[in-house]
Structures are given as structure tokens and as C-alpha cells.
Amino acid sequence: MAEPAGYPGDGHGEALGAGYPGDGNREAPWTEVPGAGNGEAPRTEHPGAAADTEYGDGEYGSAEYGNGEYRDGQYGGADYGPAARAACVITVDGSYAARLARHGDSWFPERWTLDGPEPYAVPLPGRQPEEPGTEVHPMGDGRVLIRRFADGRHNFALLYPTGPETGELPLGAVECPDPGTALRLLPPAPGGEKAYALAVGRRSSAVWLVAGGAFGPEHLAEIPGRCSGGVWLDGSGRMLALDREVGGRTKTIVVDLERGGEVSPLLQIADGSDDRLLLADPDSGLLLISSDAPSPGRPRLGWGVLGSTLPVRFPECLRVPDCAVTPFAIQPGQVLMPESCGVALRVDGPSGSWVGVWRPAARQVEHLPAPEGWLTGAGLWTGNGELLLPYATEGMPCGVVRWAAAGSLSGEAGDRRHPGSGEPGVGETGVGGVGPEDPDGGVDSASEPGPPEPVALRPVPLQQAPLGNLVTK
């Protein structure tokens, strides 16, 4: 079975089953410390290169940051394993969601419709129960892509309801001869017409188009190094950011899927740091970043603006002791106003998981109790600033809690109260976005118990920012 042309044979992908018919379908004041010993690393000439990055060098505590994408577990204390993955996947426009639901000991795909008057779920069981590791992915037309692994092959199909039955359109398969290769679906692409997968081999990674192409799975790009993550940077599904590990360090790169997988650097905060992109919003250019530049070996959560000369900042308020903090949704539609974007955070601690809400222009994180039955790590923002959190309980198998900017919570689908009601805690932390900083800095100790001490920040160059032309400054 021939491998795709130009594919170096790293053992992670042969397309099988061609013939897909192509249905397409509390921050301290910023302190500059000259001569901090970080020196400016060599720059590559590139349009829109960003200027300086600010970070703190204080103790990180035990907080961990993860994006839930890496299969091997940990990066310098940050958990990227299954525990951080969202319990369901939502399309970019928020119309549909998909998850692997469970009934007794049996697993089956389930599609949620979210854009109607009330959310509702449609089960899509196959001829036999699914394996627990099966991936599902909602498409923009309401069908659900499923990836099943069997006999060394990743088999793809589109599922759709047909009366009492489940219709299934096979799309082909990708075979991974090397047992050390892992293949997973990438987050939903803008538009919802196509779906992509990332195969990570021993020495290189491959990007595959697995739904929406003309002839079954198509090999699009081969990237040296082991990649993780996966964030879309534009509204057309062309520019894909991946976190690539080379030489023991991880940096974010951009893959141009319309130019044969051309690779360019995006995020390089310091030579010796591990820098990852967790989320991006194409409208505002807001980036959520994980980096250990402020405290080597211990990643911190920070934010920046795509193509801007503003520095990357690491708010003290986003450090929650003994908790893992993972951003999972950014408010869209805030064109040229990244500091105004709402950011939803998943907070995992010894006592369970809850939701945090933060904006770059704010100086506190507002902590909210998670609804009972929350599909952990899943949610989306509306353009007018409502945060939607899907949940499923025995009495309400398909529900959505809405959190408005004022902090009120309400339920949908017959449950007009917050399922796990309780008064949300107060606090919103963060760095000031642009402009002068609060001379007092920090967070009021009455807002959150035991806030960490402020950390002085110092500038470090953001070496590469090749996508500056995508965002108006």
C-alpha cells in the first residue's frame, strides 16, 4: 500500500479506503529589570514581529496548566493527559456538540443541538457499543464524525440520525504501522465543513484531512518533531498552530494548510522555555499561552495579542495554589478589543472542578460553582457575553446553564435554576491589558482566600510573530 507522495515514512499514516464521495459536508505593578540575563535572542525577519514579552520570575506554587491534548501525560508538571480533556466537543459557531455518552457499561455517540430554543440530544448508537477511547467530533451540518481504532487502523465515518436507526457513511481509514504513533482528532475547524487529525510519530508529526475532502483521508503536512496542541488562528481554517517539541524544548509553530504545510515560528518567549498556545480568538487576536519562562520547569498561564507589539503577560491572579487552571473558551466578536474578551477557565483542585471567569482588563478571577453534571471542560461564549455550560444529569440528560456578565446563572431545557446552585465566589484577576498599571497592584485579600504574593515582572523578547498581518494593530 503506497504512502502519500513526499511522505517520509515515519510510520504514522497510510490512507486507506479512498473513494469518499466528497460531500464536504491581582497583578503586581509591571517592573522592568534591565540586564536580567535573558538577553534578546536572535530574531528572524518576519512581518509583524512582536516586540517585548513581560514575565514574572517568582514561585509558581503547585498550579498546573494544561490543554488536555498530549497523550503522554506531563510536560514539566503540567498535565496534558485525559484528565484535562473536555467531556464533549462543540463546533466553533456553537450550533452542535458531540460526546461519547454512557448507558450502563455501553458507550455510544450522542449529538447535542445547541442553537435552537432549547438544547436537545440525539443518541447515535451503532450496531455495537463503542470503545471508551473512541473520539467523536461534531460537524457544521449536524453529522458526527467518529474515529474508531481497530487492528492498527483509525477508521473514520460520519454518523447521522435516520428515524430509529443511525446512518453511517464510511470515509476511509489511516493506518499507523508504527505502534508508537498516536493519532487524535484536532479541535473543530472554523466553518464546520472539514475535520482534521494529528498523527504523532517518533520523529515527526502529520496533519490529515479526515472529513470534507474529495477522496477520503488526505495527508496534508509532514512536520519534523513531535507536535501536540492544535489551535486555529483564523476564521477560514487555514492557519493551524501546533506545539512542537524539538531538542527537548517546546515552541508553538504555525502550519499553513493551503501552502503545503509550510511551517513558520509563532511563539518563542525565551531560548530555554517551553511555550505553548492553548487558545486563540481570531476576532480580537487574544492568545492564551502556557510558558515556564517566568519560573523554569513550572508553566504559567499568560496572555498576548496576535501580531501586536504588546508584551505577553502572566497575571498573578491566574495562579491558583494546588490547582490546575485550563482555559477552555474565549468570548468572540470583540474585534480589536482583546482586553474585553471573557475567558472561561476550568479549575481542577483537590475538592473537585469548578469554573473561573476572567478578562485581561480585569484584576480578579470570578470563581463559579460548576453545575451538577457539567460536561467538564466544555462550554462556549456568545458574542454578547453569555457563557454556556452544558450539563447532563439523570433528571436532565441535556441541559445548558447560562452565566451572564452580571454573574447570574440560569438553566435551560426545563431547568430554570442552576442545577448545582450556590452563590458564585467573587474574584477576577489578571493583568491590566494596556495602558498604565494600577500602582497598588495585587488583589484584595477579601476577594480570595490566601492570594499568592505579587511577583515582579521583567521583559523578555517574543522572538517570532509571523501572523501580524492577520490582526489590525
Side-chain angles (χ1 to χ4, degrees):
M1 199 169 300
E3 293 178 333
Y7 184 59
D10 190 41
H12 55 266
E14 295 179 355
L16 307 171
Y20 170 50
D23 57 354
N25 299 306
R26 43 205 169 124
E27 184 132 10
W30 299 110
T31 303
E32 295 190 0
V33 183
N38 289 291
E40 179 153 345
R43 293 175 179 268
T44 300
E45 292 298 324
H46 216 299
D52 290 331
T53 295
E54 297 185 4
Y55 70 67
D57 59 354
E59 287 300 318
Y60 170 73
S62 7
E64 300 175 349
Y65 299 110
N67 64 0
E69 301 294 348
Y70 190 57
R71 68 183 180 93
D72 286 336
Q74 295 190 353
Y75 277 124
D79 184 7
Y80 290 76
R85 296 191 184 119
C88 81
V89 182
I90 305 174
T91 56
V92 173
D93 65 2
S95 297
Y96 296 100
R99 69 172 185 137
L100 202 63
R102 184 174 183 175
H103 179 71
D105 294 330
S106 300
W107 296 87
F108 62 91
E110 186 176 76
R111 185 197 72 190
W112 286 35
T113 300
L114 302 175
D115 61 352
E118 291 186 349
Y120 65 91
V122 176
L124 297 170
R127 296 182 181 87
Q128 60 185 22
E130 306 293 345
E131 295 294 325
T134 301
E135 284 188 290
V136 292
H137 182 105
M139 305 296 291
D141 59 5
R143 292 181 293 181
V144 172
L145 174 70
I146 187 168
R147 179 191 66 84
R148 302 180 178 108
F149 180 74
D151 300 325
R153 297 183 179 186
H154 299 268
N155 301 286
F156 299 93
L158 288 172
L159 308 179
Y160 53 93
T162 56
E165 305 293 331
T166 299
E168 183 167 327
L169 176 63
L171 301 181
V174 174
E175 184 174 20
C176 298
D178 187 341
T181 298
L183 185 146
R184 62 173 175 83
L185 294 174
L186 287 167
E193 298 176 355
K194 297 180 179 181
Y196 300 83
L198 178 68
V200 184
R202 298 178 187 273
R203 300 180 303 276
S204 66
S205 304
V207 178
W208 289 82
L209 173 65
V210 296
F215 305 105
E218 298 178 27
H219 178 268
L220 300 180
E222 188 72 22
I223 306 156
R226 293 172 59 83
C227 293
S228 59
V231 176
W232 297 101
L233 296 177
D234 63 342
S236 65
R238 171 179 175 176
M239 306 303 249
L240 173 66
L242 295 171
D243 304 322
R244 178 173 65 175
E245 180 189 356
V246 175
R249 294 297 177 192
T250 300
K251 305 292 182 184
T252 301
I253 60 171
V254 180
V255 182
D256 189 336
L257 299 182
E258 291 188 4
R259 300 187 65 177
E262 181 179 278
V263 172
S264 55
L266 175 67
L267 186 64
Q268 299 183 24
I269 296 179
D271 287 337
S273 61
D274 288 322
D275 311 315
R276 297 179 177 84
L277 182 61
L278 306 182
L279 283 180
D281 174 57
D283 294 335
S284 64
L286 179 62
L287 306 177
L288 274 298
I289 295 160
S290 171
S291 175
D292 65 351
S295 48
R298 295 183 174 185
R300 287 185 56 181
L301 188 59
W303 69 280
V305 180
L306 185 65
S308 172
T309 56
L310 294 175
V312 173
R313 294 175 172 177
F314 295 87
E316 278 300 307
C317 62
L318 296 180
R319 299 167 60 182
V320 183
D322 301 316
C323 293
V325 181
T326 309
F328 63 88
I330 301 179
Q331 179 184 354
Q334 306 300 298
V335 179
L336 305 182
M337 297 190 298
E339 302 87 0
S340 300
C341 290
V343 178
L345 308 168
R346 168 182 172 176
V347 186
D348 297 295
S351 59
S353 300
W354 63 93
V355 179
V357 176
W358 169 78
R359 297 177 190 272
R363 307 190 70 84
Q364 293 176 324
V365 171
E366 186 162 4
H367 293 272
L368 310 172
E372 179 187 352
W374 179 37
L375 302 182
T376 311
L380 73 151
W381 286 92
T382 65
N384 60 4
E386 279 191 318
L387 176 60
L388 278 57
L389 302 174
Y391 68 93
T393 64
E394 185 175 350
M396 183 57 61
C398 177
V400 173
V401 162
R402 292 178 177 268
W403 180 89
S408 60
L409 284 158
S410 63
E412 279 193 359
D415 186 0
R416 296 299 172 187
R417 288 298 305 159
H418 178 25
S421 58
E423 289 301 319
V426 179
E428 270 182 51
T429 68
V431 233
V434 237
E437 302 295 335
D438 180 357
D440 297 327
V443 177
D444 185 351
S445 60
S447 299
E448 277 182 32
E453 292 298 319
V455 176
L457 304 182
R458 59 188 182 186
V460 176
L462 177 63
Q463 294 176 350
Q464 320 281 354
L467 297 181
N469 58 332
L470 294 183
V471 175
T472 304
K473 297 177 185 176

